[in-house]
Amino acid sequence: RRVFANNSYINVTFDEIKVIKHPVNKNYYGVTLHQGYKSDRYRDDGYLFLLWDFTDEQAPQIHVRTWQPDQINGGRIPEEEIFSLSDFDI
C-alpha cells in the first residue's frame, strides 16, 4: 500500500521469458525472465527465477524465488550465471 501511495506511477515489464519443465518430475517448472521496474522513486532491471510446483493444480506453489541484477561490475551478467532450473536439486 505504501509503494502505491508514494508513487504516481509504477511500470513493470517482463521479457526474455523461458519456461522449462523438469526432466523427471513433470509437476515442476522453472521460469526465468527479465524484469524491468520503474517508478517515481526507484528503478531496476534484473532476472527473476521461479520454481513452480503444480502437484496440486488448484494450489500451485512457488518453492524458490531468486532475483539477480542484470548488471554486475558495470557489465551485463553472463547468461550462464543467470539462475535456471538446472541450478537446483529437486
Side-chain angles (χ1 to χ4, degrees), residues 18-69:
K18 297 175 188 166
V19 179
I20 300 174
K21 188 174 190 176
H22 191 275
V24 176
N25 189 333
K26 54 187 162 185
N27 294 319
Y28 282 71
Y29 291 81
V31 180
T32 303
L33 57 94
H34 181 262
Q35 176 185 300
Y37 181 99
K38 295 177 189 170
S39 71
D40 294 336
R41 300 171 183 262
Y42 181 76
R43 79 179 299 167
D44 69 17
D45 287 280
Y47 288 94
L48 183 64
F49 172 78
L50 302 166
L51 176 60
W52 283 90
D53 174 358
F54 286 94
T55 302
D56 180 352
E57 291 183 14
Q58 300 304 310
Q61 294 182 321
I62 298 173
H63 291 294
V64 175
R65 179 193 179 279
T66 66
W67 170 260
Q68 296 170 280

